[in-house]
Each structure stands twice: as structure tokens, then as C-alpha cells.
Amino acid sequence: MSKWWRDAVIYQIYPKSFKDTNADGYGDLPGITQKLGDIATLGVDGIWLSPFYPSPQKDSGYDVSDYYGVDPIFGTLADFTEMVDKAHQLNLKVLLDLVPNHTSSEHPWFQHALNSEAGSDARAMYLFTDGRGEHGELPPNNWQSMFGGPAWTRVKEKNGEYGQWYCHLFDPSQPDLNWRNPEVISEFQKIMKFWFELGADGFRVDQPHALIKADGFPDHPYVETAGAGYLEGEVDPPMWFQPEVHDIMRKLRETADESGEKVLCGEGYVLPLSKMAQWLRPDELHQNFNFRFLDAHWVESIIKEIIDESITAFHEVGSQSTWTMNNHDVVRSVSRFGSAYSRPTQSDGIGPEDVQPNNRLGGEISIGATLLMLALPGNCYLYQGEELGLPDHTTIASTDRQDPTFFRTEGVRVGRDGARAPIPWDESGANLGFSKATKTWLPQPESYKNYIRPGNKTLAVYQAALLLRKKHNLGAGQFNWIDGDLFGFQNNEVRVYHNFDLEPKRMPAGEILISSLGSSESLLPNETVWLIG
Ligand code: GLC
């Protein structure tokens, strides 16, 4: 087996905002097929597609109502196979998004559960239970949903009276499945096989750490400080990373292995990294996003510590770190690093009322950070538009917002729409070549006209770096720190330096392969350079 994923660079496509070919304001699968050449030219090894399955789109497709189809806004199954075939011709692997923690409330399983009695098999597909209080009128516990508000909703039973409650760690339109039920496991194994047979090379697995909830649904011990959150406490929160999830991962891995060389990348927000690594033992997931790196403040000592910890933790289980700085849930790195080192966490976003980021500074830090990341051993995930240096759309009007976070928190957290604005392709076309529609599903900021492809400097750095990363086999390289007053490490024959200081530094000796800001004489603040010789 080639284990191609261990050093691969995967490009995340958020289909709704990638390229629209039928002028409805949403990107679609034919749009992806049309632009696959651009992705291949970038020099990545594969793509991961956020969900395109039939969905009421309450959480932009992470609320699936049919796991076996394509939502009409994205096209058809035939469009899917055409896209996969073209990707494979271009030597790009194709990962899809598996959403196992919850379905849409419109999924037939949930509709059946709603129409069935308490204690029925149909209800056993989900997490239904009685409420607290004399008449069960209070939620079963204190859990909060990730998008704000309680993680429980009470249903009306057939007699017209309020009855049981169901658990939803996200929106009420996303009821959580019961992964202690073997039927749920076998249904998902079937779903995986269906897409593998249609050519998928693997899945990014949504929220795997949430699949099992502690028996009896005990209260969250530190809900007041951590919300539904992930803080490392003395005890594990009752809804995240319960030990039984390992068994489920093993089942999913078996299915992946039986289907050929298929890969599973978890979105497991598990900390510390030594614990995350336990999910990557040889019979569990192949990889998991390194969220500690993604969330990090860009500070020398922190980055150093994270790299050390990551390499040690993942290597200990025979796996590798999965480096990433962007996805559809976080403020884009340009705007994050341009925000005075604040760390807008998942779902929070930057809105028109907030201090606006310095995207010029953020852009410099971001490209330097990316060049550093691409030189690390392991595999990387990029998010559409970061190769253009796109910032977030930080001035979206309330009336244009889509993220349930915004609505569930009454605007207190503006949510993730800023990272999801349609991406620009060319200067002349409507909506910068994204769509011929008069209104796109999310507005595009005017500033995106400064980030189109021809002549985009960030794009040139990404392309050159990806080529060099392959040439010098950095994804599978030997890593060592270089002592000195500059942050530096060696990977295979390449030496990598980053200037964390506020002053320019003397450029270290050697032949420059690439530098993030194009310097050759001195290393500017926030700049990264790769040297050889
Ligand atoms: C993951 C997805 C996010 C979604 C959530 C619920 O975090 O990346 O977009 O809202 O899961 O499915």
C-alpha cells in the first residue's frame, strides 16, 4: 500500500461558494468539475468536499436528509461521477464529508421517530429521553448546543401533548443519532460503501468525538465556563470523546479497509494532542486535524511547543500530524492574524460592529505561517481561497446572514459566514466569475476583486511551495530544530527559517528556494524562507 495520505496536501472545497454554473447563486458540482484543472495546477494531491447531499441547508449541508444523493442545488449523481472521474484523470484523490453525529430533522429516520412511541425502535435511532421536573418540562440536563441555547428540544407526542426530549449538540434541526444502536453503525457502513463504490477515496469525518454521550446524560461539570465546549478539564465532558467512540472508529476503519485504500480524516476536537493521537492508532482513523496548531496564537514559543508536541504525539502511534490553518468554520487566517492576535474561535466570526482586521498585516503573517506549515512533515489541508490570500468577509449585513450560530445567539456571535463568501475567479464576470446570478447565497465583499488569479502573488507562493515540498519530499521528511537566534528547522536537505521578531533579520546563508514575501537580502518580520546548501 502506498499510504498516499500520510504526506498529501488536500484542498477543501466548500461547494456552495466555489463555482456556480447554473446561475442560481450557489456553487455546484459541474462548477467544481470545470475548475479541477486550476486545483491540479496548484499542486495539491486531492480535494475534500463539504457536504453536497440533499439537505434543508439549515447548517449549510451539515444537516443531511438523504445520505445517498446530491442536493439539486449542487447537481445530480451523474454530475458527481463526472467530477470524480475528471479528478482521478488529474491524479487528484476525492474525499467526501461523512456527517455521522446527526441527521437533518427532515431525514425519514427522524420523521419516523417523531411519529413513533417513546421507547420504540424508531426512537432508538436517536437520543430521546424524558425531561426533568415534575412533568418532564425541564431539559434532561444542562448541556448547551454549540450554536447557542439548550442542546435539547421537547417534542409533541401523537396525543398533542409535549412529551420526550431529543438531544442535538448543534441546531434543533440536527438531531443526534444513537451510536450505541448497532443499526446506526451498519447504516453508516452502507453509506460509506455506497460512495466508495462511486469512486470516493475517503471521508473527512464530521464531529467523530461527539458520537457517544455518557450513560444517563449527566450534567456537564463546567458548563458555565466552557459552554458546550472543549476545555481541558479534570474530567471529560459527558458529550465529547467518550472512550466507546474508539470502538466505533474501528468499525468505520474496517469498512474503509475492506473497500481498498480509503482514508478517514477526523474532525475530532480532542485535546491534549497525546489524547488525539489515541484516535490515530493503526486500527482507528488515518488522520485528524491538528486543532491545536489551527487555534494557535502566532507566537514563537507556542508554535515551537506545538510542533514538538505534535511530532512526538502522532509519531508515537505510527501516524503523522495533519496541519491546517483554515476551514469553513474559522475566521480565515489572514483576518485572524490581522486581528491583534485575538483568536476568534470556531463559530464566533468577525462582524461589522467589531474592530476590523488589518488584512495587510494578517496576509503577511498568514503566508509566512503557511510556508512554515508546508515545510513540516505530515500532511496538510488547505481551504479554498486561502491560496489567493482571501480575508474573511467581515461586514456581512444581518439580513444576509446564514449561519445558525447568528440566529441561535441573537447576533451575539456573528458566526462563520465570513469564511464562506463566494470566491473570486476573474475580474470581468458577474460576482467576479463565481456566478451569473443577481444575488449569490452569501454576498461577496467588494475587496475580493483584489484577489483574482492572474498576477496573484500569494497564489504564486503556494504553487511554488507545493512543487518544492514534493521535490524535497518534505511531507515524509526528517525534522530537526536548528539552534540559533532565528526560529529554524531542517527537513531533509531544506532549512526553514521564520522571523517572529519585529525587526528584519540577517538572511541566513544558503541558496534561497522560496521566501514568503520575496526577500533575498534580509528576512522581514513575519517572513519565512526555505534554503538549501
Ligand atoms: C462540523 C462542521 C461544521 C458543522 C458542525 C455540525 O464542525 O465543520 O460546519 O456546523 O460540524 O455538523
Side-chain angles (χ1 to χ4, degrees), residues 59 62 102 147 204 206-207 267 328-329 346 416:
D59 183 22
Y62 284 91
H102 42 263
F147 298 150
R204 173 262 196 189
D206 193 68
Q207 301 286 332
E267 192 220 8
H328 64 292
D329 290 326
Q346 175 154 348
R416 303 160 293 179

Side-chain angles (χ1 to χ4, degrees), residues 366-496:
S366 179
I367 187 73
T370 302
L371 202 55
L372 189 159
M373 173 181 90
L374 290 174
L376 291 168
N379 65 291
C380 299
Y381 277 71
L382 308 175
Y383 174 51
Q384 69 179 35
E386 68 166 272
E387 76 280 18
L388 305 175
L390 291 187
D392 251 40
H393 187 348
T394 51
T395 54
I396 299 177
S398 317
T399 43
D400 285 330
R401 293 249 166 228
Q402 302 285 337
D403 187 349
T405 313
F406 180 79
F407 302 103
R408 299 265 299 164
T409 64
E410 293 173 356
V412 173
R413 290 156 65 199
V414 295
R416 303 160 293 179
D417 295 325
R420 301 173 177 181
I423 61 167
W425 289 97
D426 55 65
E427 211 162 10
S428 52
N431 302 298
L432 300 171
F434 163 68
S435 163
K436 295 209 168 84
T438 31
K439 191 167 163 56
T440 55
W441 79 284
L442 271 177
Q444 209 176 32
E446 216 182 301
S447 69
Y448 277 15
K449 67 175 184 306
N450 304 322
Y451 297 89
I452 50 156
R453 272 146 225 270
N456 183 306
K457 283 197 188 137
T458 308
L459 180 61
V461 174
Y462 268 73
Q463 231 159 359
L466 287 165
L467 210 62
L468 286 163
R469 180 186 145 91
K470 254 207 180 107
K471 179 170 172 207
H472 296 283
N473 197 19
L474 301 183
Q478 280 297 319
F479 176 96
N480 286 299
W481 290 112
I482 300 174
D483 287 336
D485 56 348
L486 255 184
F487 172 100
F489 61 82
Q490 175 141 8
N491 185 354
N492 287 345
E493 62 277 22
V494 177
R495 282 177 296 124
V496 177

Side-chain angles (χ1 to χ4, degrees), residues 115-157:
N115 291 322
S116 304
E117 306 291 320
S120 59
D121 286 353
R123 289 229 168 155
M125 292 291 280
Y126 292 88
L127 301 173
F128 278 89
T129 191
D130 295 333
R132 290 184 187 173
E134 207 181 322
H135 306 288
E137 70 281 12
L138 301 173
N141 62 30
N142 67 354
W143 299 359
Q144 296 295 296
S145 114
M146 292 298 289
F147 298 150
W152 296 92
T153 292
R154 197 171 189 194
V155 299
K156 269 201 177 149
E157 303 293 356

Side-chain angles (χ1 to χ4, degrees), residues 4 7-13 18 35-48 87 90-94 370 373-374 380-387 459 462-470:
W4 59 268
D7 57 357
V9 179
I10 309 282
Y11 181 94
Q12 180 191 355
I13 294 180
F18 192 64
K35 295 293 186 188
L36 280 175
D38 288 62
I39 300 173
T41 313
L42 180 62
V44 298
D45 304 291
I47 54 177
W48 146 37
L90 291 166
N91 274 329
L92 293 170
K93 303 282 186 187
V94 179
T370 302
M373 173 181 90
L374 290 174
C380 299
Y381 277 71
L382 308 175
Y383 174 51
Q384 69 179 35
E386 68 166 272
E387 76 280 18
L459 180 61
Y462 268 73
Q463 231 159 359
L466 287 165
L467 210 62
L468 286 163
R469 180 186 145 91
K470 254 207 180 107

